[in-house]
Amino acid sequence: MAWTMDDKKEGKKSSSADNYSANAAAGSGSCSGSSLEEDAAGEQKLELEEWSVGGSGGGKLKTPEDERDVKATSSDVSEEKKQDESNIKGTSAYVHEHKNLDVQQNNNEANSIVTPQCNNANAAQEDDDSAVHSGDSRPAVSPGMMFIAGPGYTGMGIFSGYSSDQDDDIEEGGVILEGFLPEDDPSRRRRRRQITNNSHAESTRERVQRLIDNAITLDDTAVRPIPIEEDGDDEGTGGDDDEEDKSEMSWLLTLGMLVMVACIMLAIILSLTLRGEPENVASQDTMTVNCLPGDVDARFASAKSIFASITSPDILDDESTPQGKAIWWTVCSDSISVQLLDNQDSSTGILPKQKHGFRLSGDSGEAHVTRRYILATFFYSTTQDSPWLDSLNFLSPDHHECSWHKNYTRKNFPFGDFDPVGVHCTIDTGVTSTSFTDGFLLDDEEYPLRELDLNFRVDINLNGQLPLEIGYLVDCKSIGLETHTRLTGPLPETMGNMASLYSLSLILNGPDFGGELPRGLFQLRNLRNINLILNMGDKWSLPDSVQVDEDAQLEQLDLSRNGFTGNIPSWIAQLSRLQTLELSHNKFQGAIPEEIGNLSSIKHLNLMGNNLTGTIPSSLGQLPAIEILIFANNDLQGELPDSIGNLRTLLLLDVGSNELTSVIPSSFANLESLRYLLLDSNKFNGTVDVLESMKNLT
């Protein structure tokens, strides 16, 4: 059992000094050590007496060593005696002042505290297990680190390495530690305090922390310091400082809790308030908080009337949609659009004109606001799940949309090392000037603009579905989307409205991206190239029927390695200017349409690696410009058409890995330009004499 005084109030002694002072003041006899009044008489004032307690517990009064020099010169002792005498006087006065309180307190705890037995003239000496042997007559000035192992002590839970046969001095000015035993280190013994100009008296708090740090225990919670008052400027107010620290900490914790509760209550109130209103009203109120100055409602009404031709009004009213977010950005945050909307002509409702505008859409303010709204819708639609890895200066409210890009270095880009990713614009070819860089303009302040390009051939984490509104970018010349694995859905059917579109390039995009290609794409007069290559999904297909514009200019249709399914439609033959038809490595099935022979401009026809069946159409002999003809790795049957011998421009013919039979037509001798002929893995029979006359074969 540890000798403790739990739950002591501030200002009370917490050690054996209470018993000493109480007995001495009451005159009930002398303890085995001298009283505090006797300390003032003048024996070695700073020495403490040793106590030994017998019994089954077998313990000793113990002092923790504080790692100071063991030796102290006699002059140091004499010096400290003088100083301690004055301290003892103060201690004696303190004892007299509190004697009554201490006596009562000790009586109340007599059953739980093991105290030194007092010796008086009439007391009989106890047996060896309970006797207290008095030491010399040196007075005890102040209690120190104490541990008395009583009869009930088993030694469980705490281990110090202490031996009960050891005797050590008790250091003055100590504290009581409940459940604490200092480690036994012979090299650490009591020493005198050396108070010099360059030394520092160790405070009670510092000593307690050092002893705790050096203790060996099995349970940290068993170490609990109970501070007592000590003489000296640094230690006399230790209890008051601890109480002040606790009070300050308690006040700070209380304040923090109050602030946290207030924030939680405010959040709950705001949530309940918004929940009780219609969704669109709540969202609009939220948006208007950060709006630019002006009549926001009037701006919204004006913008809504302009955008209603391309977006349903119900969708515009719903701020949770990309379109709803885009219109609120337009009327609240976009400085350029706000200026145009705020200066609307009151009589005609027309917005101010742009500086120069674009070649096709013109210079109207309505076209400018609409273009910025469409690009904002594209931004919000492709950040549905997570933001872009690079904003590319998108939605910069004070800058023209032609500056919403950053320059990347990719040599495979069409413009070489200088290829802006994002939105960039080109100058109208009717203007000649050297004051701009490589034909790119950041705005229309000085020159009219011809087209804009949407170049996203760098992975910036586009995610979500392309919005319908993108099809109304009538000034867009090219769209490039590459390596965006989180794009979803089909291409918008509205892309048939992109009158300026010249090139569409979709490469290495994700498995959820795809669908039936918009019919309108094949009706655009300016579209030259469609490249859908190596996309991961298998959702792609061609429309069953398309009324191709007779002025359609499509020259290249490359749909290789995408997982296209269905039949090869016959309307492809209407693409009279088509030069490259690349449908290889997909899942097309059925027969090759006979109409394919109408592709009068075709040079490259590759249907390799599909599930095509039937025969090779004889109409292929009508392709006057064909150079490469590949049907390998399908399930084609029958004979090679004799009409193939008419293809005087043919350079390569590959029909390997099919189910073709019969003999090689003799007309093949007319293939004057043929250099490569692959007939492997078929069921041909007969001789190959005809091939001997084909001198250009390699």
Side-chain angles (χ1 to χ4, degrees):
M1 157 186 314
W3 184 26
T4 67
M5 291 186 180
D6 294 336
D7 302 326
K8 295 300 180 192
K9 302 298 182 181
E10 180 180 356
K12 294 183 180 180
K13 292 293 182 180
S14 305
S15 71
S16 60
D18 297 323
N19 295 330
Y20 301 159
S21 60
N23 290 334
S28 59
S30 61
C31 294
S32 59
S34 299
S35 66
L36 295 178
E37 285 81 5
E38 291 172 342
D39 291 346
E43 292 196 32
Q44 294 179 354
K45 299 297 187 299
L46 297 179
E47 294 293 322
L48 297 178
E49 122 184 72
E50 301 176 351
W51 296 88
S52 64
V53 178
S56 59
K60 273 196 179 289
L61 195 61
K62 179 61 183 174
T63 300
E65 312 307 340
D66 52 1
E67 299 182 348
R68 287 173 289 189
D69 297 332
V70 176
K71 297 180 181 180
T73 62
S74 59
S75 60
D76 293 333
V77 173
S78 177
E79 175 96 21
E80 289 194 68
K81 283 183 179 179
K82 296 178 181 180
Q83 187 167 4
D84 288 339
E85 287 178 358
S86 61
N87 293 338
I88 292 171
K89 294 179 180 179
T91 305
S92 178
Y94 174 87
V95 170
H96 283 293
E97 180 180 354
H98 294 278
K99 62 184 178 180
N100 293 331
L101 180 59
D102 291 336
V103 169
Q104 181 181 357
Q105 193 171 42
N106 289 327
N107 290 335
N108 292 337
E109 297 183 3
N111 294 329
S112 60
I113 303 176
V114 180
T115 62
Q117 303 296 322
C118 292
N119 294 323
N120 55 53
N122 298 324
Q125 186 172 1
E126 301 287 332
D127 58 22
D128 292 340
D129 291 337
S130 60
V132 179
H133 302 285
S134 62
D136 57 25
S137 59
R138 293 173 296 177
V141 176
S142 178
M145 306 304 302
M146 301 180 184
F147 178 85
I148 297 178
Y153 178 69
T154 63
M156 300 298 292
I158 302 177
F159 174 71
S160 69
Y162 236 124
S163 172
S164 61
D165 296 331
Q166 294 173 334
D167 291 332
D168 287 289
D169 293 331
I170 301 173
E171 182 179 353
E172 64 274 19
V175 297
I176 297 174
L177 294 181
E178 180 182 52
F180 174 84
L181 282 177
E183 62 178 342
D184 183 28
D185 185 352
S187 66
R188 299 173 60 188
R189 288 293 182 262
R190 175 183 174 278
R191 65 173 178 173
R192 302 288 182 178
R193 296 181 180 176
Q194 298 178 357
I195 304 176
T196 64
N197 293 334
N198 296 325
S199 66
H200 171 66
E202 185 178 27
S203 67
T204 298
R205 187 176 303 173
E206 292 172 340
R207 182 161 54 261
V208 169
Q209 187 60 51
R210 173 175 57 77
L211 294 174
I212 290 175
D213 292 341
N214 292 329
I216 303 175
T217 70
L218 300 181
D219 184 3
D220 291 341
T221 62
V223 180
R224 183 164 66 90
I226 305 175
I228 63 172
E229 292 183 358
E230 292 184 296
D231 295 334
D233 295 338
D234 294 336
E235 302 175 3
T237 59
D240 293 339
D241 292 340
D242 292 342
E243 291 297 329
E244 290 177 1
D245 292 342
K246 293 179 180 178
S247 177
E248 181 178 359
M249 181 63 68
S250 176
W251 181 84
L252 291 175
L253 290 175
T254 302
L255 179 60
M257 290 297 294
L258 290 175
V259 172
M260 183 181 299
V261 171
C263 292
I264 294 174
M265 293 298 296
L266 180 60
I268 293 174
I269 292 173
L270 289 175
S271 176
L272 293 175
T273 302
L274 294 178
R275 187 178 299 176
E277 298 179 4
E279 182 179 355
N280 63 328
V281 175
S283 61
Q284 289 182 17
D285 289 344
T286 303
M287 293 295 295
T288 57
V289 172
N290 297 320
C291 279
L292 295 172
D295 191 343
V296 179
D297 292 336
R299 286 184 213 146
F300 185 87
S302 179
K304 185 177 178 181
S305 65
I306 296 172
F307 305 154
S309 60
I310 62 175
T311 304
S312 169
D314 293 338
I315 296 178
L316 290 172
D317 287 335
D318 185 356
E319 191 271 332
S320 66
T321 65
Q323 294 81 1
K325 295 176 182 178
I327 189 174
W328 275 108
W329 174 81
T330 303
V331 301
C332 278
S333 303
D334 184 17
S335 301
I336 293 177
S337 296
V338 165
Q339 184 177 6
L340 292 173
L341 293 169
D342 283 347
N343 289 281
Q344 184 180 30
D345 189 282
S346 58
S347 59
T348 63
I350 298 176
L351 302 184
K353 289 186 177 183
Q354 307 169 62
K355 287 290 185 178
H356 292 89
F358 279 81
R359 183 178 186 181
L360 184 60
S361 63
D363 59 357
S364 70
E366 287 78 5
H368 197 187
V369 172
T370 300
R371 185 166 53 249
R372 293 175 74 85
Y373 159 75
I374 293 173
L375 292 172
T377 301
F378 170 77
F379 174 83
Y380 288 117
S381 295
T382 54
T383 55
Q384 292 279 47
D385 298 327
S386 57
W388 293 356
L389 300 178
D390 189 331
S391 67
L392 306 177
N393 297 315
F394 250 67
L395 305 192
S396 298
D398 300 319
H399 296 85
H400 196 279
E401 58 273 22
C402 289
S403 67
W404 293 358
H405 62 255
K406 287 186 178 179
N407 296 332
Y408 279 73
T409 300
R410 286 278 301 275
K411 293 185 177 180
N412 62 314
F413 282 1
F415 300 106
D417 289 346
F418 179 75
D419 193 358
V421 176
V423 179
H424 57 87
C425 305
T426 55
I427 192 172
D428 194 322
T429 55
V431 177
T432 57
S433 175
T434 58
S435 61
F436 55 87
T437 304
D438 293 340
F440 295 125
L441 291 177
L442 301 180
D443 53 47
D444 65 341
E445 291 294 321
E446 298 184 18
Y447 305 101
L449 301 169
R450 182 179 178 88
E451 300 105 357
L452 64 83
D453 297 316
L454 292 180
N455 180 17
F456 292 88
R457 296 175 64 186
V458 171
D459 181 12
I460 60 168
N461 189 39
L462 298 186
N463 56 92
Q465 187 170 337
L466 300 180
L468 293 173
E469 285 75 12
I470 198 173
Y472 296 99
L473 280 175
V474 295
D475 299 302
C476 182
K477 179 182 179 182
S478 69
I479 297 177
L481 302 175
E482 183 175 328
T483 66
H484 299 290
T485 59
R486 299 180 63 192
L487 282 176
T488 61
L491 296 178
E493 184 63 36
T494 54
M495 293 182 72
N497 297 306
M498 305 182 76
S500 299
L501 191 62
Y502 183 92
S503 174
L504 174 63
S505 179
L506 309 175
I507 303 174
L508 292 168
N509 294 297
D512 296 323
F513 183 48
E516 183 178 281
L517 293 184
R519 288 173 170 81
L521 281 177
F522 303 98
Q523 298 173 334
L524 295 174
R525 296 185 176 183
N526 291 316
L527 185 60
R528 297 291 195 278
N529 305 299
I530 298 178
N531 296 296
L532 275 70
I533 305 172
L534 291 169
N535 292 290
M536 303 176 192
D538 56 0
K539 306 178 185 302
W540 298 98
S541 64
L542 290 168
D544 293 334
S545 61
V546 174
Q547 185 60 46
V548 178
D549 193 290
E550 61 181 9
D551 293 326
Q553 304 292 319
L554 189 63
E555 297 177 352
Q556 177 172 308
L557 180 59
D558 188 345
L559 308 180
S560 59
R561 301 179 184 272
N562 290 287
F564 271 86
T565 59
N567 297 326
I568 298 176
S570 60
W571 57 261
I572 286 183
Q574 301 177 34
L575 300 171
S576 59
R577 292 177 174 80
L578 192 65
Q579 298 181 19
T580 299
L581 179 59
E582 178 66 70
L583 304 180
S584 63
H585 299 287
N586 283 290
K587 298 178 182 179
F588 286 114
Q589 57 190 10
I592 301 173
E594 189 71 27
E595 291 83 356
I596 203 167
N598 297 328
L599 293 173
S600 57
S601 300
I602 196 75
K603 294 182 178 181
H604 182 113
L605 176 58
N606 186 358
L607 306 182
M608 177 181 183
N610 284 282
N611 301 317
L612 299 174
T613 58
T615 61
I616 297 176
S618 60
S619 60
L620 290 176
Q622 304 173 16
L623 302 178
I626 191 70
E627 295 178 354
I628 296 175
L629 193 57
I630 303 174
F631 298 125
N633 295 319
N634 282 286
D635 296 318
L636 298 174
Q637 301 174 355
E639 302 178 356
L640 284 173
D642 187 70
S643 60
I644 291 180
N646 300 327
L647 304 179
R648 302 297 179 89
T649 59
L650 188 63
L651 299 175
L652 182 150
L653 175 63
D654 183 359
V655 294
S657 299
N658 280 285
E659 300 292 329
L660 299 174
T661 59
S662 189
V663 297
I664 299 173
S666 59
S667 61
F668 274 34
N670 300 324
L671 298 176
E672 301 173 353
S673 301
L674 190 64
R675 292 177 179 272
Y676 306 96
L677 177 63
L678 290 88
L679 305 174
D680 60 289
S681 301
N682 281 283
K683 298 179 180 179
F684 292 115
N685 52 52
T687 64
V688 291
D689 295 341
V690 66
L691 301 181
E692 296 178 357
S693 62
M694 303 173 68
K695 299 179 181 180
N696 293 326
L697 285 179
T698 57

